Amino acid sequence: MSSPLSPGESKLPENALFRSHIEISRILQELKKKRSSIYAELEGGGTFVSHIIFVDPHAGHFDIAYCANKFLNSKLLNTPTLKFTARYQDAHLEFNVANPGEARCDDQSAIRFALPDALILYHRRESPRIPVPAQASLRCIADAAGFVPFESRVTDISHDGLGGIIYDRSVRLDPGAVLKGCRIVVPGGKAIVADLMLRHIEMIVLSDGTLANRAGFRFMQRPDEIPELINFFIQNLDKNKP
């Protein structure tokens, strides 16, 4: 069941990419007002859970509360970039932030970030272990310029160059590995070539019950085509929604 809209709250499209400073501030304000939980998976393990306590559109930053776990607080403060997720209007919201700093907000300690450059909103199934359908992913010849090229699928990507690939369990890789000259094939046959650094790797269960590896990655150099990749996923999610 969808959550009822608050007075003055407009219904958003099924899938959307927001770059407007005004819209981003408004959505973060709504998360603050509802005390909605925001989550960040930290590299090496651990999930940081908090909520927004202050948004300043004019200064261009927002503050979140510390979580109850001191170790995770310290780990987050030493993480240069991370992705927050949240539930918003019965949908999934993602935004990337960088360079956390300590701050004071209404006489309490807080963690401060600059406002994100973009917010991505989409509807998806709850199970994080089931990848998106094959038609909503992109073929990637990973490590094409390296020693052992292999087939993979790019399943998601964010505006600042973070993403995920799925590949066969027989391929042995470690976090921190750099895949050289990966060729990401977009509709129409065009290939976007970039080096990918693997940030974390986990085993997942595919929809047919087989096991695979999923690796989070970061582009080593920022391709100009990142907006094109993001638009592909948003358009594909719209086409494949129930």
Side-chain angles (χ1 to χ4, degrees), residues 12-236:
L12 295 173
E14 288 291 309
N15 300 297
L17 173 65
F18 296 96
R19 291 190 180 277
S20 162
H21 181 93
I22 295 174
E23 280 297 298
I24 290 171
S25 298
R26 181 183 65 80
I27 291 172
L28 294 183
Q29 289 278 18
E30 289 186 20
L31 293 179
K32 169 188 172 293
K33 181 179 180 181
K34 294 182 177 181
R35 200 182 170 86
S36 299
S37 293
I38 59 175
Y39 306 82
E41 297 295 332
L42 301 180
E43 189 170 356
T47 302
F48 180 90
V49 183
S50 183
H51 59 278
I52 297 173
I53 57 177
F54 181 67
V55 180
D56 190 333
H58 302 292
H61 65 245
F62 70 101
D63 297 343
I64 66 173
Y66 280 90
C67 75
N69 187 308
K70 292 183 178 180
F71 173 74
L72 292 180
N73 290 329
S74 177
K75 195 172 182 180
L76 180 134
L77 283 167
N78 286 283
T79 301
T81 61
L82 68 155
K83 177 192 295 182
F84 278 120
T85 63
R87 294 291 294 174
Y88 181 72
Q89 291 192 16
D90 201 32
H92 182 83
L93 183 71
E94 288 185 357
F95 55 96
N96 291 274
V97 292
N99 302 320
E102 297 179 277
R104 297 289 296 178
C105 179
D106 293 333
D107 293 326
Q108 74 176 92
S109 297
I111 302 174
R112 178 165 295 173
F113 296 94
L115 292 176
D117 295 327
L119 298 176
I120 299 176
L121 178 104
Y122 61 94
H123 290 72
R124 72 173 188 177
R125 291 182 172 86
E126 290 295 331
S127 174
R129 294 262 176 193
I130 304 299
V132 297
Q135 65 269 26
S137 63
L138 291 172
R139 178 173 179 253
C140 175
I141 305 172
D143 208 28
F147 293 106
V148 186
F150 61 93
E151 287 279 341
S152 65
R153 307 290 303 189
V154 176
T155 59
D156 57 85
I157 193 168
S158 68
H159 74 282
D160 64 349
L162 299 178
I165 59 172
I166 291 176
Y167 56 94
D168 191 88
R169 284 282 292 163
S170 64
V171 178
R172 302 299 182 186
L173 297 168
D174 295 315
V178 176
L179 306 180
K180 297 286 189 177
C182 299
R183 296 174 58 83
I184 303 172
V185 182
V186 297
K190 176 184 176 183
I192 296 170
V193 180
D195 297 341
L196 307 180
M197 184 187 74
L198 303 186
R199 302 173 66 243
H200 51 80
I201 301 171
E202 63 178 343
M203 183 184 70
I204 64 170
V205 182
L206 300 178
S207 56
D208 62 2
T210 60
L211 301 180
N213 284 330
R214 183 191 185 281
F217 69 80
R218 175 188 294 280
F219 284 104
M220 296 294 289
Q221 64 278 88
R222 180 185 173 91
D224 293 335
E225 297 91 342
I226 281 183
E228 181 179 350
L229 296 178
I230 293 174
N231 288 336
F232 167 80
F233 284 111
I234 291 176
Q235 292 168 11
N236 216 287

